[in-house]
Amino acid sequence: MRIINLGRQDYLNIWEQMKIFTNARDKNTQDELWIVEHSPVFTQGISSKPEHVLSSSNIPIIQTDRGGQITYHGPGQAVIYCLIDLKRLNIGVKKMIEVIENSIIDLLKTYTIKAHLKSGAPGVYVNNAKIAALGLKVKQSRTYHGLSLNVDMDLSPFMQINPCGYQGLKVTQLCDLTDNSDTLNIVAEKLSQILINHVTRNRH
């Protein structure tokens, strides 16, 4: 599996690139993880309801084709897009989501942060505050979109929405939970390696 660090990127451009990659790939195409940091943007999942936008601002709101509800992406947040052939791995989308969540929990353990899941609310939490969100799109057993992990960012835009559709849901980030000053890229690379290990381990 290839890890590609794309740096700061416009959301719409990357979304388009993911669709192009997914449509063009065949059974021999290597899976890829794309590490990205986005300029401020709200993204709506396919089932997202408009009432979860609480106030408007100059941050654009983009209707996407991933699962899940509304979330925020911005500088200081590690986004990893998972371009993975589930059929080749012989795993289903539920298993893939589990793999992503467990990878984030394992990463946070390396910073001695105890994270947990919430039933019916995908993502990863620390003391009931959300630190990571995820949403996938599966097309012909191939995934795109992925996860976002709050590392060291301005969390205030989350106040403009019900994050992931949950009213009053608190959000948190890595820099507020540890004295470790790993850069965004180091955190994202570590998480990518853990993800690859988990995916390999779960291959049937």
Side-chain angles (χ1 to χ4, degrees):
M1 199 182 297
R2 291 174 66 199
I3 300 173
I4 301 168
N5 194 326
L6 298 167
R8 178 78 66 88
Q9 294 281 345
D10 175 67
Y11 182 84
L12 283 172
N13 172 38
I14 290 292
W15 180 24
E16 197 50 44
Q17 294 304 320
M18 286 193 285
K19 288 190 278 194
I20 291 167
F21 177 89
T22 303
N23 288 331
R25 65 181 302 172
D26 63 28
K27 64 181 193 307
N28 299 315
T29 306
Q30 200 177 355
D31 290 335
E32 295 187 351
L33 296 177
W34 294 1
I35 297 172
V36 188
E37 191 180 9
H38 284 309
S39 303
V41 63
F42 292 114
T43 64
Q44 294 261 35
I46 32 182
S47 55
S48 198
K49 299 179 176 67
E51 63 263 28
H52 293 313
V53 181
L54 306 177
S55 63
S56 59
S57 67
N58 56 0
I59 300 174
I61 299 175
I62 295 171
Q63 191 70 47
T64 77
D65 58 351
R66 63 165 172 77
Q69 298 282 342
I70 192 165
T71 194
Y72 169 70
H73 299 308
Q77 182 189 62
V79 176
I80 301 177
Y81 289 125
C82 305
L83 300 140
I84 290 173
D85 186 335
L86 297 180
K87 195 173 180 182
R88 191 166 57 200
L89 290 174
N90 199 16
I91 61 175
V93 67
K94 275 206 172 98
K95 186 70 192 171
M96 188 63 218
I97 287 169
E98 206 178 284
V99 162
I100 292 171
E101 289 175 332
N102 288 334
S103 299
I104 297 164
I105 289 171
D106 282 359
L107 169 82
L108 293 171
K109 263 187 210 154
T110 69
Y111 295 98
T112 63
I113 296 166
K114 191 169 166 38
H116 62 91
L117 304 175
K118 273 185 164 187
S119 70
V124 177
Y125 301 79
V126 179
N127 297 325
N128 287 317
K130 191 159 198 171
I131 192 166
L134 62 121
L136 294 174
K137 169 76 176 173
V138 184
K139 193 175 180 190
Q140 294 169 323
S141 299
R142 288 152 184 168
T143 67
Y144 58 101
H145 294 293
L147 70 98
S148 59
L149 173 70
N150 305 337
V151 178
D152 186 0
M153 61 189 299
D154 173 10
L155 294 174
S156 64
F158 283 105
M159 305 291 283
Q160 296 172 35
I161 57 169
N162 287 329
C164 308
Y166 288 89
Q167 203 174 340
L169 179 67
K170 287 186 175 59
V171 288
T172 188
Q173 58 183 340
L174 192 60
C175 72
D176 295 338
L177 300 167
T178 176
D179 294 332
N180 188 304
S181 56
D182 278 352
T183 63
L184 183 86
N185 279 334
I186 291 173
V187 173
E189 296 278 350
K190 274 188 186 176
L191 179 51
S192 299
Q193 283 306 148
I194 293 170
L195 253 169
I196 289 172
N197 295 342
H198 269 269
V199 165
T200 320
R201 214 179 305 151
N202 281 282
R203 190 181 284 152
H204 291 310

